[in-house]
Amino acid sequence: VTTQKPEVVFILGGPGAGKGTLCRYIVKHYDYVHLSAGDLLREERAKLCSEYGELIETHIRNGTIVPVEITCSLIDRAMQTSKNPHHRFLIDGFPRNQDNLDGWNKVMAEKVILKGVIFCECSEEVCTQRCLNRGASGSGRSDDNEQSLVLRHQTYLKNTLPIIEMYEQQGLVYKVNSMKSPEEVFQDVAEFFPKIGW
Ligand code: UP5
Ligand code: MG
């Protein structure tokens, strides 16, 4: 019924760990909507009328994190305009730091049910190589270069890992080794996903 709160699963992990790829597999098999915070920010940046375009681009290029008010309102809007009648969302690449977490807790946490956090574990070397390969094959992403990747990984270690650890203490984290092939990563997730999602 319409009063039912949306269910949310966060997907976290380093830059290039395979969050987006895993989400694309999950939505093929389960009734979830994939919302990538990074994709939402890149879409917002691309709008000519956006007042945040330059700010977003600076953060993306430097691997730093956009203020939560911007990101959270994009996620909120995307959830509200989604046509999924079951209201289940994979939120990919968020929350990435304490500011993100505080902002989410303030405006969103009460409106949803957080079912769990999938943590894609992947070495820095593999993450970086994946993004460099993607850049070399024409991703067009302004952060798929060596300089940005060093910064992205630093931000991940310093700001995002503590958020994952906090969720881990709450018993919400499901880890997956995302250094395997995409199919294998999905198979591993499929083992525990029904425990999270239903
Ligand atoms: N690939 C994927 N899985 C593979 C596998 N199992 N085996 C072999 N190859 C695999 O994959 C990356 C590449 O690796 C692809 O070429 C893929 O084919 C291959 P992808 O699935 O895209 O990995 P993902 O973890 O999603 O990598 P992404 O680059 O999107 O991660 P980031 O977390 O760095 O990027 P995001 O878009 O989330 O954020 C970008 C920036 O936006 C941030 O640095 C930040 O500046 C900003 N941002 C915020 O400020 N706030 C937010 O809330 C979110 C983002
Ligand atoms: Mg991604």
Side-chain angles (χ1 to χ4, degrees):
V1 199
T2 48
T3 52
Q4 198 187 324
K5 288 183 183 179
E7 295 180 2
V8 165
V9 176
F10 290 136
I11 317 290
L12 294 172
K19 302 181 291 296
T21 302
L22 172 61
C23 288
R24 284 186 280 279
Y25 275 82
I26 294 175
V27 300
K28 269 194 238 164
H29 294 83
Y30 300 98
D31 195 6
Y32 269 74
V33 170
H34 173 205
L35 298 178
S36 157
D39 287 348
L40 291 170
L41 288 166
R42 284 182 286 273
E43 275 165 35
E44 179 65 23
R45 178 191 60 185
K47 285 184 195 156
L48 290 173
C49 57
S50 173
E51 54 181 311
Y52 302 122
E54 233 174 283
L55 176 91
I56 292 171
E57 174 56 18
T58 304
H59 281 292
I60 287 181
R61 204 180 276 274
N62 294 321
T64 49
I65 298 164
V66 173
V68 67
E69 291 73 18
I70 299 174
T71 315
C72 226
S73 67
L74 294 174
I75 294 172
D76 193 11
R77 195 196 310 160
M79 286 175 66
Q80 285 182 36
T81 55
S82 160
K83 293 189 180 66
N84 180 359
H86 299 294
H87 304 294
R88 293 193 177 116
F89 298 94
L90 302 171
I91 301 186
D92 156 9
F94 179 93
R96 300 171 99 90
N97 66 359
Q98 190 63 44
D99 171 66
N100 279 183
L101 186 63
D102 293 343
W104 173 268
N105 284 339
K106 201 163 121 192
V107 297
M108 295 296 292
E110 302 247 294
K111 296 201 269 180
V112 306
I113 300 167
L114 178 61
K115 303 291 283 187
V117 177
I118 299 179
F119 176 20
C120 297
E121 285 191 295
C122 189
S123 71
E124 175 168 1
E125 293 69 30
V126 171
C127 281
T128 299
Q129 200 50 55
R130 286 178 181 174
C131 292
L132 289 176
N133 292 345
R134 184 176 58 186
S137 53
S139 69
R141 274 182 56 162
S142 61
D143 58 349
D144 279 344
N145 59 77
E146 259 173 273
Q147 245 186 340
S148 295
L149 278 158
V150 170
L151 300 169
R152 287 162 72 187
H153 210 85
Q154 279 173 3
T155 301
Y156 165 67
L157 295 178
K158 183 161 178 270
N159 299 288
T160 311
L161 267 185
I163 302 300
I164 298 170
E165 280 159 11
M166 187 240 23
Y167 281 127
E168 194 159 19
Q169 282 171 7
Q170 297 179 17
L172 284 167
V173 172
Y174 297 77
K175 288 184 200 178
V176 64
N177 172 3
S178 65
M179 313 234 292
K180 301 183 187 177
S181 72
E183 292 76 16
E184 288 172 307
V185 175
F186 174 70
Q187 283 314 315
D188 290 349
V189 167
E191 301 265 319
F192 62 70
F193 198 80
K195 273 199 287 185
I196 308 182
W198 275 267

